[in-house]
Amino acid sequence: MTAPPSLAGSPDTQATAAYRRLRAEILDGRLAPGQRLKVQDLAALCGAGPSPVREALAQLAAEGLARRIEQRGFRVADADPAGLAGLVRSRCLVEAAALREAIARGDAAWEDAVAAAERRLARLPRSLDPTRYVTNPAWEAAHRGFHQALLAACAAPPLLAFCERLRDEAERYRAQANAVAWPGRDVAAEHAAIAEAALDRDADRAAALLAEHLNATGEFVRRALERRAATPAARRRPTARLAAE
Amino acid sequence: MTAPPSLAGSPDTQATAAYRRLRAEILDGRLAPGQRLKVQDLAALCGAGPSPVREALAQLAAEGLARRIEQRGFRVADADPAGLAGLVRSRCLVEAAALREAIARGDAAWEDAVAAAERRLARLPRSLDPTRYVTNPAWEAAHRGFHQALLAACAAPPLLAFCERLRDEAERYRAQANAVAWPGRDVAAEHAAIAEAALDRDADRAAALLAEHLNATGEFVRRALERRAATPAARRRPTARLAAE
DNA sequence: CATCCTGTTTTTACCGACAAAATGCGCAGG
DNA sequence: CCTGCGCATTTTGTCGGTAAAAACAGGATG
């Protein structure tokens, strides 16, 4: 029971700490798409030297969250409509395939987990404030958990990891969109319908509903992105300095 | 005219050079699965300092070709039967889905490209030596080109990139297997059948043939892996020693 | 008026050195 | 003969400083 050197948790090395931090900032849009990532600035931000930061950036670039330009540093990956379209199409195809597989292979435990995740998600409010959108971390976690539970019975770890990665990237787009508007859609009903079809073992219906769900979110984000592009970049407010190169 | 510093091509930074090199060595098995990756050794190998090497390793770890163990360095990713099974399953699901999409969206140019790639591949010998297996780089390139051409009409870049990554990992397993045996299968016929079904726009048949093709390769590799586990001088200790150093 | 050159300033990419942690080894004790 | 503990050695992860490449700004030029 003595706690000699390091017992619990993560003694998190500087490199992974920087990785986590930068990843989070990119995902929620605090580091805007296209923005330049100067090593020294980030090093100062993370309170670390340049080496761990470069390591983190290399990792992020490999995951597609950043772009490396040889001899010219790193930038946050862009989030343009073309990228969104490819992302949504990928998600529809891949998640539908994974869901079909999960439905084919899922056992009783999988059914229970799906049902439980659905109920847990349904109980939580999407936004912390009923009148306008305020991110609810608990809902986000439950949402992720639901989609994960749906596919969990699919015995193909690389595929599931890929789904996770695409979900991450989608979150980045959503963060852009939520700055502008939020959906009036009844997402809870969509989730319930997907869960029901999956538990009925109706692969075609479940896959179609899931694809529709993803497409609807994509369409919403596309509109928001469009509207955002139309608005002249917040008429030179100092706050825009973050986004400016 | 004045013979400037770097004239053509890539002035390849040390980090990317190391990345390419290590990646190649992992893919063709010269760095064996599970092997420890000591930074200093690799740095000496690449003629570079530790920082670029760590950067390359972080990238490889993000791609799944290496594992990072916090505070304990990097190792080459394992290549055990379980990993192979998940990989094959993932490839079947993902490539089938991508192929369906490509068949649905492909135009005449796509058809031509597929047909051309198939003919190019059919013309090349699988092995440089007819009596035993000797890797033929031209065939490898054409093979990759064929599978790529098949899916090219699928408008989902992230998905295609993922297929590439899985193909890379599969190559790693194949390198293990080819050290033991080589398939008597008529792979050329399989490729021809897939191309024909795709050009007939018969998505179901094409997807089924492709999945079968991938499964057959997977099964071949699995057998080879099994045989390999039995033969080497790993009598006293369970398989652990193979991974050690 | 746009364009090109040129010197200055940032920024990248890299190395070598250093502390903390892990690994392996020898040795006492059961 | 095996088991557990402390010490020397390796290895990791990190920093600060440095050459070289890119970005920038200003002035001369067609």
Side-chain angles (χ1 to χ4, degrees):
Chain A
M1 276 306 175
T2 60
S6 65
L7 182 61
S10 46
D12 250 14
T13 179
Q14 289 279 64
T16 47
Y19 166 74
R20 266 196 248 284
R21 170 134 194 199
L22 295 177
R23 178 171 180 278
E25 302 227 350
I26 290 175
L27 288 189
D28 69 12
R30 294 183 47 186
L31 289 172
Q35 181 175 352
R36 218 171 144 192
L37 293 168
K38 300 189 227 187
V39 179
Q40 296 192 54
D41 296 2
L42 301 179
L45 185 79
C46 300
S51 315
V53 171
R54 287 189 64 84
E55 211 175 304
L57 287 173
Q59 219 167 320
L60 290 167
E63 283 175 43
L65 291 176
R67 293 187 355 244
R68 128 180 279 154
I69 314 173
E70 207 80 346
Q71 215 69 268
R72 208 166 303 186
F74 297 83
R75 310 180 84 96
V76 179
D78 307 297
D80 50 29
L84 176 66
L87 174 63
V88 170
R89 199 86 207 93
S90 298
R91 292 192 75 195
C92 286
L93 292 170
V94 170
E95 295 225 11
L99 179 55
R100 285 192 139 89
E101 178 80 349
I103 288 175
R105 304 181 46 101
D107 57 4
W110 168 74
E111 290 186 3
D112 294 345
V114 169
E118 200 279 320
R119 279 201 305 274
R120 205 175 319 136
L121 178 58
R123 242 181 267 126
L124 293 164
R126 166 92 193 251
S127 166
L128 284 177
D129 182 334
T131 65
R132 68 204 173 83
Y133 181 71
V134 177
T135 312
N136 180 357
W139 188 89
E140 300 293 337
H143 185 225
R144 180 167 290 257
F146 171 66
H147 281 281
Q148 209 166 321
L150 263 183
L151 309 184
C154 169
L159 193 156
L160 295 183
F162 181 57
C163 287
E164 281 286 316
R165 262 195 34 210
L166 293 183
R167 202 190 316 287
D168 285 346
E169 208 163 327
E171 196 174 310
R172 202 164 64 92
Y173 279 94
R174 249 192 24 200
Q176 297 287 309
N178 283 334
V180 182
W182 73 301
R185 263 163 63 213
D186 188 354
V187 283
E190 295 180 24
H191 289 137
I194 295 170
E196 193 196 324
L199 296 181
D200 283 356
R201 306 281 175 167
D202 186 340
D204 288 337
R205 186 158 53 100
L209 286 171
L210 179 57
E212 201 182 326
H213 176 63
L214 296 173
N215 268 322
T217 306
E219 187 57 20
F220 159 67
V221 172
R222 195 186 62 73
R223 288 228 191 83
L225 225 57
E226 207 167 67
R227 189 181 324 174
R228 187 200 185 105
T231 314
R235 51 195 181 276
R236 331 172 159 65
R237 287 276 63 189
T239 52
R241 196 186 189 293
L242 252 175
E245 276 191 285
Chain B
M1 223 27 100
T2 55
S6 63
L7 186 59
S10 48
D12 250 13
T13 181
Q14 287 279 65
T16 47
Y19 167 73
R20 265 196 251 282
R21 170 135 194 198
L22 294 178
R23 179 171 178 278
E25 301 228 351
I26 291 175
L27 287 189
D28 69 12
R30 294 183 48 186
L31 289 172
Q35 181 176 353
R36 228 177 132 182
L37 294 168
K38 299 188 229 190
V39 179
Q40 296 192 66
D41 296 3
L42 301 178
L45 186 79
C46 299
S51 314
V53 171
R54 287 189 63 84
E55 209 175 304
L57 286 174
Q59 217 166 321
L60 290 166
E63 283 175 43
L65 290 176
R67 297 191 345 250
R68 129 180 278 152
I69 314 174
E70 208 79 347
Q71 216 70 266
R72 210 165 301 186
F74 296 84
R75 312 180 82 96
V76 179
D78 307 296
D80 49 30
L84 176 66
L87 174 62
V88 170
R89 201 83 207 94
S90 298
R91 292 192 74 195
C92 287
L93 292 170
V94 169
E95 295 225 10
L99 180 54
R100 286 192 137 90
E101 178 81 349
I103 289 175
R105 304 181 47 100
D107 56 4
W110 168 72
E111 290 186 4
D112 294 346
V114 169
E118 200 279 319
R119 280 200 306 275
R120 204 177 319 133
L121 178 59
R123 242 181 266 125
L124 294 164
R126 167 94 192 250
S127 167
L128 285 176
D129 181 335
T131 63
R132 68 202 173 85
Y133 180 72
V134 179
T135 312
N136 180 356
W139 187 89
E140 300 292 337
H143 185 225
R144 179 169 291 258
F146 170 68
H147 280 282
Q148 208 166 321
L150 263 184
L151 309 184
C154 170
L159 193 154
L160 295 182
F162 181 56
C163 287
E164 281 286 317
R165 263 197 29 214
L166 293 183
R167 202 189 315 290
D168 285 346
E169 209 163 325
E171 199 173 309
R172 202 162 64 90
Y173 279 95
R174 249 194 21 202
Q176 297 287 308
N178 283 334
V180 182
W182 73 300
R185 264 163 62 214
D186 189 354
V187 283
E190 296 181 23
H191 289 138
I194 295 170
E196 193 197 324
L199 296 181
D200 284 355
R201 305 283 174 165
D202 187 340
D204 288 337
R205 185 159 53 102
L209 287 171
L210 179 56
E212 201 182 327
H213 176 62
L214 296 174
N215 269 322
T217 306
E219 186 58 19
F220 159 67
V221 172
R222 193 185 63 74
R223 287 228 191 83
L225 224 58
E226 207 167 68
R227 188 180 326 174
R228 187 202 182 102
T231 34
R235 197 63 48 107
R236 291 197 50 87
R237 316 279 181 194
T239 57
R241 265 295 139 183
L242 211 162
E245 306 228 44

